[in-house]
Amino acid sequence: MNKRFTSVISILLFTVLSVNVSQAQAKSDNFSAKQLTQVASIKQQALESDLAWDLVESLTTEVGPRMPGTPGDKAAVSWAVAQFEAMGFDKVWTEPATFPKWIRYSESAAIISPAPQAMHITALGNSISTPKEGIQAQIIEFNDLAELESSPENSAKGKIVFINYRMDRHRDGNGYGPAVQARSRGAVVAAQKGAVGYVMRSVSTAYHRFAHTGGSHYKEGVTKIVSTAISNADADQLHRLVALGKPVTININVQAKSMGEGTSYNVIAEFTGSEFPEQHVLIGGHLDSWDLGTGALDDGAGVALTMAAAKIATAYGKPKRSIRVVLFAAEEFGLWGAKAYVKANENSLSNIVAAAESDFGADKIWAFDSNVHASSLPLVAEISAMMESLNVKYLEKNAARSGPDLIPFRPFNIPAFALSQDGTDYFDYHHTADDTLDKIDPAKLRQNVAAYAVFAFMAANANTRILGK
Ligand SMILES: [Zn+2]
């Protein structure tokens, strides 16, 4: 496109924006005409900004994987502090969070008989090691965790349990819940049935041959057995072999270690409000990642886009209320940073006027919803109207569940919001070696920044504060 043509389009866009603004200002109780002009401009600036891309590129390239307690995690904390300071935030600080530390050294697996071949496997977080030569046993297949749970006592005695449940693909990611149970509890149930090892089909919608890692847990009093996941392609292969009716023997070799208590840090930064500095909008993501990829989608994108949105939302100076970005620690090991944050800030959680976490990749935001007091709904409607041109649909259910790190906030009835990304492809890459920067589309990332910038600006600058339920 030539330059002159581009500038004609810019003028047309500006005209459209101006018309929208003058329509909105006529009926707004919450914003001045000047503020409405500013938020329209902020939205446009975000759509033209490479800031989020530059941040996620830097994080995934110069830091890389950030598993809690590793040198990469430590480097990420320093990176975040330095970036916030360079971006001109008024305050930047860290708060400690502890968690059970776990390290992966190596993993491999193979079908031994009847058709010898290697498999693509990953240890699940927290897994114990096998002996150096691995464990070798016949597998016993179950369709899902429920079938294993209802199987007779000792049904898996001396065997390796294989759960073959395949996750469904959905835009809102609702296939994850039913699938993830087998990841978090599968090894416990398998051990209770007498198994010597556990392998599951990855929690995945993918057609590639990567295994998906993720958190898993043991239970006191139940024997710990190795806990692993194989790629979809390898699960298909195992299933076909079992269906042939002959015993299938595999070997799993995992070397990993639990290291006791680890410490990391929530990294927090704020543009301080001019009128109500203690009241604040809280946006963010989690700074840690799994170790297999570089944590671009999970959750480098969420980190970068909320940092960028806060910066762009303050393009016209100090907001009325503070805009705070929280980069949570150790989310992948069990929301440890979020729990520490709630504990350390319990007395000021009532000052949160709006909270949203981005932790679902980097595809476009398609829906917006709140979880607030009914008296704040007219203001929420104004915010959503400003997102309409970004193709964000207002759901009007007022029952939003925001990102995982906001789960520990729920008992405090904070005003929570969901800016819902399209998650159709998210579980193709989630927790795999394939979660890398090339999976992020810069244009889609800019749309995310624009929606978050509109949200942060409007919640921080409205005449009235948003209240929780
Ligand atoms: Zn995540």
Side-chain angles (χ1 to χ4, degrees):
M1 208 186 291
N2 73 44
K3 266 204 170 136
R4 206 163 49 143
F5 190 55
T6 313
S7 63
V8 169
I9 288 187
S10 300
I11 291 164
L12 282 174
L13 264 178
F14 184 77
T15 312
V16 172
L17 280 174
S18 310
V19 170
N20 277 344
V21 168
S22 55
Q23 281 168 350
Q25 75 194 48
K27 58 186 179 195
S28 176
D29 296 326
N30 291 297
F31 302 96
S32 67
K34 188 176 165 195
Q35 285 174 321
L36 291 171
T37 309
Q38 287 174 342
V39 69
S41 161
I42 279 167
K43 179 165 59 177
Q44 195 55 36
Q45 287 175 43
L47 289 172
E48 291 164 8
S49 168
D50 288 328
L51 181 55
W53 175 266
D54 292 344
L55 287 165
V56 71
E57 181 181 48
S58 169
L59 179 62
T60 55
T61 306
E62 296 170 62
V63 177
R66 309 173 291 284
M67 197 153 82
T70 61
D73 181 42
K74 204 175 160 192
V77 169
S78 305
W79 175 91
V81 169
Q83 294 293 341
F84 277 134
E85 284 172 351
M87 289 168 78
F89 279 75
D90 296 315
K91 286 185 208 162
V92 183
W93 71 101
T94 61
E95 295 177 1
T98 57
F99 51 87
K101 188 175 165 184
W102 176 84
I103 297 284
R104 176 202 318 272
Y105 297 116
S106 65
E107 57 221 343
S108 61
I111 297 169
I112 304 301
S113 68
Q117 57 195 285
M119 293 195 290
H120 288 244
I121 195 165
T122 176
L124 295 173
N126 214 28
S127 176
I128 58 162
S129 292
T130 60
K132 280 204 176 76
E133 66 280 10
I135 54 156
Q136 196 156 309
Q138 193 184 321
I139 62 161
I140 176 167
E141 180 178 330
F142 294 90
N143 291 322
D144 53 29
L145 184 64
E147 191 187 40
L148 172 63
E149 280 179 313
S150 61
S151 73
E153 195 127 321
N154 286 324
S155 60
K157 194 160 180 61
K159 294 182 176 159
I160 294 171
V161 161
F162 165 46
I163 289 186
N164 189 33
Y165 179 82
R166 186 168 183 132
M167 176 185 174
D168 294 329
R169 185 186 293 276
H170 291 286
R171 181 167 66 171
D172 66 2
N174 72 20
Y176 188 62
V180 83
Q181 287 297 320
R183 194 186 74 204
S184 55
R185 300 194 295 119
V188 171
V189 182
Q192 285 168 331
K193 303 292 180 182
V196 295
Y198 177 67
V199 60
M200 66 181 288
R201 178 187 285 273
S202 286
V203 178
S204 167
T205 51
Y207 292 96
H208 60 51
R209 205 180 173 185
F210 292 97
H212 298 236
T213 193
S216 72
H217 306 285
Y218 293 116
K219 192 173 168 184
E220 215 168 302
V222 178
T223 308
K224 293 180 179 179
I225 58 173
V226 69
S227 184
T228 62
I230 47 174
S231 74
N232 271 328
D234 288 284
D236 292 344
Q237 183 78 325
L238 267 192
H239 175 71
R240 283 190 295 266
L241 281 168
V242 169
L244 291 174
K246 287 184 190 162
V248 178
T249 299
I250 67 171
N251 182 289
I252 297 175
N253 193 320
V254 167
Q255 302 304 319
K257 197 175 178 185
S258 286
M259 315 274 280
E261 189 177 85
T263 302
S264 187
Y265 297 88
N266 293 323
V267 184
I268 305 155
E270 193 172 278
F271 285 110
T272 306
S274 57
E275 281 183 40
F276 309 105
E278 70 291 346
Q279 293 181 19
H280 56 278
V281 174
L282 189 158
I283 56 176
H286 64 85
L287 191 53
D288 65 306
S289 76
W290 283 102
D291 51 342
L292 302 178
T294 59
L297 294 171
D298 187 12
D299 184 24
V303 164
L305 74 91
T306 54
M307 291 171 82
K311 173 71 181 172
I312 294 168
T314 56
Y316 292 98
K318 275 185 181 297
K320 265 189 199 173
R321 301 176 187 81
S322 299
I323 298 177
R324 185 179 290 191
V325 181
V326 182
L327 307 181
F328 294 98
E331 188 270 348
E332 299 292 6
F333 283 7
L335 315 178
W336 294 99
K339 288 182 222 169
Y341 184 92
V342 165
K343 207 169 168 193
N345 297 280
E346 194 173 334
N347 295 329
S348 59
L349 296 179
S350 60
N351 289 327
I352 297 174
V353 300
E357 185 192 27
S358 175
D359 182 21
F360 201 48
D363 210 324
K364 278 190 174 174
I365 294 172
W366 68 276
F368 175 69
D369 207 4
S370 59
N371 197 333
V372 302
H373 192 269
S375 63
S376 299
L377 288 175
L379 172 49
V380 173
E382 277 202 66
I383 298 174
S384 72
M386 195 53 79
M387 292 187 196
E388 247 171 47
S389 68
L390 300 170
N391 290 319
V392 177
K393 184 180 165 191
Y394 181 27
L395 297 183
E396 296 187 66
K397 291 181 183 159
N398 198 32
R401 307 214 126 195
S402 195
D405 285 303
L406 294 182
I407 292 171
F409 292 68
R410 282 183 193 160
F412 299 91
N413 293 327
I414 58 161
F417 289 82
L419 287 80
S420 304
Q421 290 155 309
D422 186 324
T424 308
D425 302 330
Y426 182 58
F427 292 101
D428 290 355
Y429 308 110
H430 183 248
H431 297 181
T432 69
D434 210 16
D435 179 1
T436 48
L437 184 64
D438 52 301
K439 309 308 178 307
I440 297 178
D441 176 337
K444 290 177 175 178
L445 188 65
R446 287 193 287 264
Q447 186 259 9
N448 276 258
V449 177
Y452 268 88
V454 164
F455 168 70
F457 177 94
M458 294 182 86
N461 288 300
N463 287 335
T464 54
R465 68 156 284 181
I466 301 171
L467 296 167
K469 269 183 180 164

